[in-house]
Amino acid sequence: MEKLMTQRLTYHLESTNSLNDRQQGFREGKSVDTAINELLSKIQTARRDGKHVLVLSIDIKGAFDNLQHRAILKSLDASACLVNINGLFHSLPQNRKVTLLTPQGRAIKDQKQGCPQGSCSGPALCNLVANEILNQVWPDNVHIQAFSDDFVLVIEADTNKSLVVDTRSGITQFSSWCSENELAISTEKNKLYLIQQNGKKSQDHMERV
């Protein structure tokens, strides 16, 4: 049943062009190769224009496990999918419980988050929630793309100083979206790559930006 629901949802999203084209993950006609090609194209264009370029990879900590059900339902409503599909997915997370064995006995809690990565619907629903940040208005010198829950920002600028300012602004915008959806950025896994106008490259951690 869940597989059929996901197929219907995916067909609707693709046939109505509801998903941002910069989402490369778990979509027909897109792959790791297309994601890399898009990324390299942005970098090469910026370098030809004589810009400083910073590439920032962003990892969401346990994205599938921490995806909030309310965020999924909000994204479903925003996608304007058919009423019957919307209704089915709204009913999917209802009355779900988590059972924990504790020293005091069995504890049961309502499950309000989580979208199993190996499930039929997990990738499609994750893409749907990620669509919100991809569709946000970004400055002309900031490019964002995703492979499901893995994101990359490419920032270009004329000077190192403005590059740092624009990168911090981009991180703030992305962090705000994460906070709104109760997601956390895994700073220890994030990487940034600086390509200066002379072609010199350097690598560092996000927290030093």
Side-chain angles (χ1 to χ4, degrees), residues 27-172:
R27 300 179 65 187
E28 186 175 351
K30 294 183 180 293
S31 64
V32 173
D33 290 338
T34 61
I36 292 174
N37 287 339
E38 181 176 3
L39 178 61
L40 291 178
S41 177
K42 294 300 296 184
I43 295 171
Q44 290 165 357
T45 299
R47 289 191 62 190
R48 280 198 301 267
D49 293 339
K51 305 288 187 179
H52 293 285
V53 183
L54 188 141
V55 181
L56 174 63
S57 66
I58 302 177
D59 180 82
I60 303 294
K61 189 179 296 183
F64 282 84
D65 291 337
N66 294 304
L67 203 60
Q68 299 295 312
H69 292 168
R70 64 170 184 81
I72 294 172
L73 300 182
K74 180 182 70 172
S75 298
L76 276 168
D77 293 340
S79 72
C81 66
L82 299 176
V83 174
N84 58 338
I85 301 175
N86 196 325
L88 285 171
F89 275 98
H90 267 264
S91 66
L92 191 63
Q94 289 182 359
N95 301 318
R96 292 206 170 191
K97 307 289 184 180
V98 177
T99 301
L100 301 174
L101 296 178
T102 71
Q104 291 74 37
R106 189 183 301 270
I108 300 176
K109 296 181 62 178
D110 291 332
Q111 183 180 4
K112 297 181 180 180
Q113 68 183 51
C115 188
Q117 192 164 2
S119 67
C120 297
S121 59
L125 296 177
C126 187
N127 279 359
L128 192 59
V129 174
N131 209 44
E132 183 180 36
I133 185 64
L134 295 174
N135 284 337
Q136 284 190 11
V137 177
W138 291 85
D140 292 339
N141 66 322
V142 178
H143 167 79
I144 183 172
Q145 67 180 75
F147 193 92
S148 190
D149 59 323
D150 295 315
F151 297 86
V152 175
L153 293 179
V154 180
I155 303 101
E156 58 182 82
D158 292 323
T159 65
N160 275 326
K161 182 178 180 180
S162 58
L163 188 65
V164 170
V165 172
D166 293 341
T167 299
R168 286 175 174 163
S169 177
I171 293 172
T172 298

Side-chain angles (χ1 to χ4, degrees), residues 1-12 85 88-89 120-121:
M1 180 65 176
E2 185 180 350
K3 183 176 181 180
L4 180 61
M5 291 166 56
T6 303
Q7 289 174 342
R8 293 287 305 276
L9 174 63
T10 300
Y11 175 78
H12 165 76
I85 301 175
L88 285 171
F89 275 98
C120 297
S121 59

